[in-house]
Amino acid sequence: MIVRLAAAALLLVALLTWLLLRGTNPSDRLYFEALNRLDAIALSESLLQRDVLNARAGFLRNYDPLVRHVADMRNAIDGLESAEADLDRGELEAMKQRVAAQAALVERFKTNNALLQNSMAYFDFLSERISSPDADPRLAVAVGGLANAVNGLARGADASATASILKRLDAVERRGAPAGFASELASFAMHGRNLVAVVPEVDDLMRRLPTESTASNRGAIESAIQTFRASRSQKAAWYRLALYLVALALLGLLIHLGLRLRANAIAMRRRAAFERVIGDGSNRFLGSQPEDTETRLVEALRTFGEAVGADRAYVLRKCEAAGVSLWHRPDAPPPAGWPDRMAAHLADIDRLADDALHAERDDPRLPERLRDGLRAANASHWSFAKLRREEESIGVLCFERAVRWPGWFADTTSLLRMTGDVVGNALSRERNFRERAALIVELQRAQRLETIGTFTSGVAHNFNNILNVMQGHAEIALDALGEETKPAEHLRQSLQAGEHAREIVGQILDFGRGARAERQTSAIDDVVAETVEQLRSAMTEPINLSAAGGAEGALVRGAPAQLQQVLVNLIRNAAQASAPGEPVAVELKRVGVDAPRALSHGALDRGTFVRLRVTDRGAGMDGVTRARLFDPFYTTKSAGTGLGLATAQEIVRESGGAFDVDSAPGQGSRFDVWLPVLSRSDRRRRVATPTGGVLLVLGSRKEDVLQDEDILAALRYEPVGFTDPDAALAALREEPERFDLLMVNWRLHGMTGLDFAALAGAVTRRPVVLAPLAIDEVDAASVSRTGVAGVIRRPWQSNMLARSLEEVLARRSAVGATSP
């Protein structure tokens, strides 16, 4: 805007300069120049007539003044012709002709007057000679009289005087010349007759010269010049008026420009002040603790709102319990339920193309429902900025005002975006702290569970071996005693207790091994249908089990057996918590999630999910039970182990899902299992992912090999242990393709792990992984030459071991996929 005003000012200055030049009335100069030339013509004409009279009287020695006067008149006429004035060209041409006529008369006058003056001089001279005392007295009298008559003729000739002079000349000639004066008398008579002939013609030229005067032409030209001057003066007056008006416009524009510059300077100061407010708010957020974010946010909203003159300022947050943070001026409280009702419009705001926007209440860009809400809140002007955490929308910052926003704030959305960035960064920082704390808790829990799992797996494996021996001997003794003896009854009770102990050991092994659900995929519809049918026929207690819905053929992560185990645990818990015959409902549904959603035990991102719901009308749970529901070894049942739901949660978590539990004492329970639906790209990727396989484990001590087998079994591999290298080689020669990977200790009987790797390489192409102790010296060059696929130093961590084995098997799968 300032640039356009400055350009307009420059244009007006150029127009002002042009009008100033046009308003000086250059016709005045032309007028006076033309008058001067006309005066010069009149003066030259007067001088010409005067000098002609002087020449006639004989007072002019030469005719140069006459030539000069004619030249001056012609030069003045040429000047008039070249003048810019609007002259009467006809009158100018007529004046040129009159000057030419005067010039012609002057030329003839000069010729005749020269003859006249010459003849007069000779006539006077000869008359004195002839009328000398020596001549005849009567002749002298006659000549003297004739001379007087001729002189009178030169002063003014008429016809009678001319005739009288001619008679006298004839008489003088008849009388004859005295002796010695014959030639003089002849010349006297010739000059006398010449004077009689020339004088009238000269006088006629003198009389005709004034008649060729240019006075009338000069008057007409002067009148035309005056008319031209008046016209030009009128135009100059209009130009001066326009000059005055343009000067006023320029003055007004300069005043307006100055006001705009002043307004811009004020706006810049206010923007700078608001930017300082934004910076102070950002610093306060940076220096605050996560638990103080809400307090700091309300303070920042007050500071921001007061700085821009807002009536209300609020933040709508997504996926959080405290969804609204509000500040308002004391004299502008929001209506009831406002701005909480704005949370219903978050999806509408997300669909707007702008990240920040100043809008009036009736702006057609806003959805109709949002406009209705703003009318109800008496907010005629509304501004918002979307809050983002990277690419995720986490909320909206809004300002409301009953009147128009100040121009420095409304003319651009940059300040609004900056404010939104500060608030969005504060919320992101709060969420990062919260997620970090949750991750720390989850990591600690995972580490604790991993330790428990490793320990329980080893213990359960050994217990399982002992139980097998005990039950085997009990079965042999039962067969030997028969079925009707009292000891046989005790043995049967022992066998039942052993089966229960085996079931507990199985649960402990399942929990200790970990879920690894991502290795396989399952059609959830088939899993649910098969599980429900099996439970209907297999459960001994009466159960009213119903199933409804479907997942539309969705595939999810997880092995079918593991997902079946999750559903069996949920249904059995529901049946055990319900009275006999009470309904237990299983519902399967495919659900789209548009925004991140928090659950009771986990959270969901955007995407498509399968919701597996198990509902009962049993006793329900209190808050303490719900909080510890998935803790390992926590149970409210006398015969429970506390590992069923813990194992189920691990399986669901490994599948990328989460639990949502709703229960209250006396109102039953609802368990929702949310599992993400695999996309086509996920399905293709999972086909190429290596799965658990058969591993050859070779060590020097049996107890070490057994421990390695337990750890690998917990990771869902099938280990086959050897302590004799020759026996291991024999097993390889018998079935070279049986094993997917060879895990070899560094220290063996009679050789090193590298030696065995070289021998095994001649039998099979399966990858070999060395497992030396940290203190063992391993030659990297030798390892490279032997073709060992990897080295995993002891002591192991389960997650590191699992990741290393998966990488080796993945490379093997990739090489196998590219081999012809």
Side-chain angles (χ1 to χ4, degrees):
M1 184 63 181
I2 298 298
V3 175
R4 291 196 295 269
L5 289 176
L10 291 176
L11 183 62
L12 285 178
V13 168
L15 180 61
L16 193 66
T17 304
W18 182 76
L19 291 174
L20 180 64
L21 295 175
R22 299 295 296 180
T24 54
N25 194 10
S27 61
D28 288 342
R29 176 181 58 81
L30 300 175
Y31 171 75
F32 288 115
E33 287 179 358
L35 287 183
N36 289 336
R37 288 189 174 91
L38 289 175
D39 291 342
I41 293 173
L43 179 61
S44 297
E45 196 172 65
S46 298
L47 293 176
L48 178 63
Q49 293 176 5
R50 185 201 67 183
D51 289 340
V52 165
L53 291 175
N54 288 334
R56 173 68 177 77
F59 299 139
L60 195 66
R61 295 182 177 275
N62 56 58
Y63 297 121
D64 291 341
L66 301 180
V67 174
R68 187 170 60 252
H69 295 329
V70 171
D72 289 342
M73 286 191 291
R74 286 176 172 169
N75 291 334
I77 292 174
D78 292 339
L80 287 175
E81 283 185 327
S82 62
E84 297 178 1
D86 189 10
L87 305 179
D88 188 343
R89 297 298 170 178
E91 292 293 339
L92 189 62
E93 186 64 26
M95 187 167 62
K96 287 177 63 177
Q97 293 177 359
R98 287 186 177 276
V99 171
Q102 291 185 39
L105 291 175
V106 167
E107 289 298 324
R108 290 175 58 192
F109 171 79
K110 289 193 304 182
T111 301
N112 292 330
N113 189 60
L115 292 176
L116 173 62
Q117 297 300 329
N118 187 47
S119 295
M120 285 292 295
Y122 275 99
F123 189 83
D124 290 340
F125 173 73
L126 291 174
S127 63
E128 289 179 1
R129 287 285 306 273
I130 294 174
S131 60
S132 64
D134 297 335
D136 185 358
R138 287 180 296 176
L139 179 62
V141 171
V143 170
L146 184 60
N148 290 333
V150 170
N151 288 329
L153 178 65
R155 289 190 293 272
D158 54 19
S160 61
T162 301
S164 175
I165 290 173
L166 291 175
K167 288 180 180 179
R168 289 183 179 186
L169 282 173
D170 292 339
V172 170
E173 286 180 332
R174 285 194 302 271
R175 185 179 295 276
F181 288 95
S183 60
E184 285 84 349
L185 183 61
S187 296
F188 178 79
M190 181 188 68
H191 283 289
R193 288 187 174 85
N194 188 37
L195 285 173
V196 170
V198 171
V199 167
E201 186 173 354
V202 170
D203 290 343
D204 180 64
L205 291 174
M206 290 178 59
R207 287 192 297 272
R208 288 174 57 190
L209 186 61
T211 62
E212 298 296 335
S213 174
T214 60
S216 62
N217 304 117
R218 283 186 279 111
I221 293 174
E222 183 175 357
S223 177
I225 292 173
Q226 289 176 347
T227 302
F228 172 74
R229 182 194 179 195
S231 174
R232 285 296 182 89
S233 298
Q234 184 66 28
K235 288 183 179 179
W238 284 109
Y239 281 125
R240 286 192 293 273
L241 177 60
L243 177 67
Y244 174 72
L245 296 177
V246 172
L248 289 180
L250 179 60
L251 178 62
L253 182 62
L254 291 176
I255 293 174
H256 180 65
L257 181 60
L259 293 176
R260 288 303 300 266
L261 289 173
R262 179 176 177 273
N264 283 354
I266 294 174
M268 290 180 64
R269 287 199 298 270
R270 290 178 177 173
R271 288 193 186 98
F274 188 65
E275 288 176 357
R276 288 194 295 272
V277 170
I278 294 174
D280 293 340
S282 178
N283 291 333
R284 283 199 297 270
F285 281 126
L286 291 176
S288 65
Q289 296 300 318
E291 58 270 15
D292 298 332
T293 299
E294 179 62 24
T295 303
R296 298 291 188 184
L297 182 57
V298 175
E299 293 177 359
L301 290 177
R302 177 187 60 79
T303 305
F304 297 152
E306 291 176 349
V308 300
D311 294 336
R312 291 179 288 271
Y314 51 89
V315 172
L316 304 175
R317 287 185 270 187
K318 298 180 178 180
C319 299
E320 297 187 20
V324 178
S325 301
L326 170 67
W327 167 86
H328 64 85
R329 289 193 296 110
D331 58 340
W338 192 264
D340 300 83
R341 286 181 293 171
M342 280 292 286
H345 302 294
L346 282 173
D348 296 330
I349 297 174
D350 279 340
R351 281 192 288 270
L352 294 175
D354 300 291
D355 286 339
L357 180 66
H358 298 288
E360 296 185 7
R361 180 171 54 202
D362 298 325
D363 195 319
R365 291 175 292 181
L366 303 181
E368 183 63 31
R369 294 188 306 165
L370 182 57
R371 283 181 275 171
D372 292 339
L374 293 175
R375 293 189 192 100
N378 193 28
S380 63
H381 289 77
W382 180 68
S383 300
F384 78 88
K386 296 178 182 178
L387 309 180
R388 296 191 181 279
R389 181 190 183 203
E390 296 179 351
E391 297 301 322
E392 177 189 0
S393 176
I394 60 175
V396 180
L397 169 67
C398 301
F399 294 99
E400 292 179 2
R401 184 177 165 99
V403 295
R404 188 180 300 276
W405 294 109
W408 62 269
F409 181 63
D411 290 343
T412 178
T413 59
S414 59
L415 294 176
L416 191 58
R417 286 194 178 92
M418 290 173 60
T419 310
D421 290 341
V422 169
V423 176
N425 290 336
L427 297 183
S428 298
R429 183 168 174 266
E430 178 192 21
R431 182 175 290 187
N432 290 338
F433 272 111
R434 194 166 55 250
E435 291 181 353
R436 180 183 177 187
L439 287 175
I440 291 175
V441 172
E442 185 66 22
L443 178 61
Q444 292 173 348
R445 179 178 178 276
Q447 290 174 343
R448 184 172 67 252
L449 292 179
E450 181 180 0
T451 302
I452 294 173
T454 303
F455 172 74
T456 55
S457 294
V459 173
H461 185 76
N462 292 328
F463 270 121
N464 203 30
N465 293 335
I466 296 172
L467 285 173
N468 289 334
V469 175
M470 293 171 62
Q471 285 191 303
H473 287 289
E475 289 175 356
I476 294 172
L478 181 61
D479 291 338
L481 291 174
E483 298 183 359
E484 301 301 330
T485 62
K486 191 66 174 179
E489 180 63 27
H490 290 303
L491 287 174
R492 278 193 292 270
Q493 294 294 330
S494 298
L495 287 173
Q496 290 179 3
E499 288 297 328
H500 184 60
R502 186 191 298 276
E503 182 180 352
I504 294 174
V505 169
Q507 291 180 354
I508 293 174
L509 284 174
D510 287 339
F511 176 76
R513 290 182 184 124
R516 298 295 167 189
E518 76 278 5
R519 294 167 181 256
Q520 299 183 38
T521 60
S522 299
I524 192 64
D525 291 297
D526 297 338
V527 172
V528 172
E530 182 180 349
T531 304
V532 170
E533 288 300 323
Q534 288 179 358
L535 286 176
R536 279 176 178 163
S537 59
M539 291 188 67
T540 58
E541 61 269 18
I543 182 172
N544 183 8
L545 182 60
S546 64
E552 303 173 9
L555 292 182
V556 297
R557 288 193 290 264
Q562 291 181 325
L563 297 177
Q564 193 174 52
Q565 181 181 354
V566 172
L567 184 56
V568 167
N569 277 322
L570 294 179
I571 294 175
R572 282 183 174 174
N573 287 343
Q576 292 170 3
S578 304
E582 285 289 332
V584 174
V586 178
E587 180 189 0
L588 189 62
K589 185 177 181 181
R590 185 169 183 153
V591 181
V593 178
D594 296 331
R597 182 183 302 179
L599 304 179
S600 65
H601 294 78
L604 303 179
D605 291 329
R606 295 185 182 88
T608 304
F609 291 82
V610 169
R611 186 189 67 195
L612 176 60
R613 172 172 292 179
V614 178
T615 309
D616 65 73
R617 300 179 185 176
M621 296 176 287
D622 57 16
V624 175
T625 303
R626 290 198 307 272
R628 300 192 59 189
L629 190 62
F630 295 99
D631 288 352
F633 307 110
Y634 175 79
T635 181
T636 59
K637 295 179 290 186
S638 58
T641 63
L643 293 175
L645 287 179
T647 304
Q649 188 186 39
E650 289 297 318
I651 293 173
V652 171
R653 181 183 290 120
E654 290 292 339
S655 298
F659 270 93
D660 190 26
V661 181
D662 184 18
S663 181
Q667 298 181 10
S669 301
R670 174 181 57 78
F671 282 76
D672 287 346
V673 178
W674 292 80
L675 299 172
V677 175
L678 293 178
S679 63
R680 293 181 180 273
S681 58
D682 290 331
R683 298 176 191 179
R684 289 193 297 268
R685 187 160 55 248
R686 295 193 174 281
V687 170
T689 302
T691 61
V694 181
L695 304 186
L696 184 149
V697 180
L698 178 59
S700 58
R701 297 198 309 165
K702 185 176 182 179
E703 55 272 22
D704 293 338
V705 172
L706 289 176
Q707 184 178 3
D708 291 347
E709 288 179 340
D710 290 338
I711 294 175
L712 293 172
L715 296 177
R716 297 193 63 79
Y717 291 100
E718 182 182 345
V720 178
F722 295 91
T723 57
D724 184 2
D726 294 333
L729 289 172
L732 285 175
R733 293 188 183 96
E734 183 178 353
E735 295 182 80
E737 304 300 322
R738 175 185 177 187
F739 302 100
D740 296 293
L741 183 142
L742 313 181
M743 179 172 285
V744 182
N745 288 354
W746 180 258
R747 302 177 185 273
L748 301 174
H749 293 294
M751 64 178 66
T752 65
L754 279 179
D755 298 332
F756 181 83
L759 296 173
V763 178
T764 181
R765 297 173 59 89
R766 298 306 191 194
V768 178
V769 174
L770 291 182
L773 293 172
I775 59 174
D776 291 333
E777 294 292 336
V778 179
D779 186 1
S782 299
V783 170
S784 177
R785 285 195 304 271
T786 309
V788 173
V791 177
I792 306 176
R793 291 188 177 273
R794 299 173 183 271
W796 295 330
Q797 290 183 355
S798 297
N799 56 351
M800 182 194 71
L801 177 62
R803 185 165 55 251
S804 300
L805 293 178
E806 286 180 2
E807 290 177 356
V808 173
L809 291 173
R811 289 197 297 269
R812 171 180 172 271
S813 298
V815 171
T818 56
S819 299

